[in-house]
Amino acid sequence: MADDREIISKLVAEEFGPTPQRDLLRHLDAVYRTTAAEAAGHDRAQHRKVYGNMRLANLETSLKLFCPKHPGITGNDVIAKKGGYPHFTMTTKSLVITCHAVPRADLLPRKALFRDSLATGANYVLPLFPSEVEGTGGRKFYHLMALHSFERRVFFDEETRKVREVRRYDRPAFFDLVAPTTDTKEVIWRLPLFVAHPDVIDELRGLSREDVSGKSPKRRPKQDEKDGTGA
């Protein structure tokens, strides 16, 4: 696994580096805002039914615009041999990336034949890799999952004396690139994109991180002397 982690880190840096990562965050944020606005007209019961499907369709449509902007990244609707449901994937020379909504960043999506076959790196699902990944003993590609979900905030309501959860459907709470084990039960490698690119998140949230390192407050003689803080 240690070797796999090193190989995946190297491949991501080379084939899906900081520039596409930052752009991917912007695409995801726009998808959440658009989907929340589209689903807002439904009442609570129907909202739960349509929001996830709308978000998935909007995300895949957005990623089909994202991929052509970045050389070496391709978007594909792939149908596995056993099943007629198309799965959207992003592929590079050595990586297959699929997107999944999960309740929390530490959870993986439910088991599925398509994902299990991707995790093994076998070429019978995606005939897109004519040669093996260098140094991996016959492995055709590495599968990454891009995990995301809407923002949840839990707090104690003093008035009702109950714990409440507020959901922000209009923005993601996290977006992590993870590589699962071949049985898709655990994660062997993770890159939290919110942590890797905090300036992009601040920009999308309308925040400002002013660099104050090395700066000292300006002395205001009259005010300093008045409140006793002057030299």
Side-chain angles (χ1 to χ4, degrees):
M1 286 188 184
D3 290 341
D4 277 344
R5 285 195 291 266
E6 292 174 5
I7 292 170
I8 293 167
S9 293
K10 181 174 180 291
L11 292 175
V12 171
E14 293 175 351
E15 301 178 14
F16 204 88
T19 298
Q21 290 170 19
R22 294 164 69 86
D23 192 27
L24 187 61
L25 285 171
R26 294 187 175 96
H27 274 257
L28 184 76
D29 186 78
V31 164
Y32 268 75
R33 285 187 282 106
T34 298
T35 305
E38 291 175 348
H42 297 274
D43 62 29
R44 184 173 182 178
Q46 278 62 54
H47 184 278
R48 293 185 64 183
K49 296 175 183 177
V50 303
Y51 174 77
N53 288 330
M54 283 183 175
R55 183 182 59 191
L56 176 61
N58 287 338
L59 179 58
E60 292 182 355
T61 299
S62 180
L63 293 179
K64 288 180 180 180
L65 300 175
F66 161 84
C67 291
K69 294 193 292 181
H70 302 280
I73 302 176
T74 306
N76 305 279
D77 288 307
V78 178
I79 297 179
K81 285 187 177 181
K82 296 183 179 180
Y85 186 84
H87 300 267
F88 180 79
T89 66
M90 293 184 289
T91 58
T92 67
K93 182 180 178 182
S94 315
L95 304 170
V96 174
I97 304 172
T98 56
C99 294
H100 309 277
V102 291
R104 303 193 314 264
D106 62 328
L107 297 177
L108 288 173
R110 61 181 175 80
K111 287 181 70 63
L113 178 62
F114 181 76
R115 286 191 285 274
D116 288 351
S117 56
L118 286 182
T120 63
N123 211 17
Y124 64 87
V125 173
L126 291 173
L128 303 174
F129 300 87
S131 58
E132 66 188 60
V133 180
E134 186 177 349
T136 57
R139 189 181 181 101
K140 297 295 183 181
F141 58 84
Y142 281 93
H143 175 214
L144 301 184
M145 296 180 179
L147 307 180
H148 61 93
S149 187
F150 55 81
E151 189 175 279
R152 295 172 172 86
R153 184 169 63 87
V154 178
F155 69 98
F156 183 73
D157 190 330
E158 293 287 353
E159 289 188 11
T160 62
R161 309 299 295 175
K162 294 181 179 179
V163 176
R164 291 185 57 197
E165 180 185 81
V166 175
R167 298 184 174 191
R168 288 287 303 268
Y169 292 103
D170 62 332
R171 67 189 194 187
F174 59 87
F175 200 26
D176 291 6
L177 289 179
V178 305
T181 53
T182 54
D183 59 7
T184 66
K185 290 182 178 180
E186 298 179 28
V187 171
I188 60 173
W189 178 90
R190 179 184 297 270
L191 176 63
L193 295 183
F194 275 41
V195 176
H197 308 289
D199 58 316
V200 176
I201 303 305
D202 288 347
E203 168 199 314
L204 295 171
R205 299 288 188 267
L207 302 175
S208 173
R209 293 196 181 195
E210 214 174 273
D211 182 9
V212 294
S213 59
K215 294 182 181 179
S216 57
K218 292 182 179 179
R219 184 172 183 271
R220 297 165 297 172
K222 290 185 179 180
Q223 182 63 34
D224 290 347
E225 289 164 11
K226 183 178 179 180
D227 60 22
T229 60

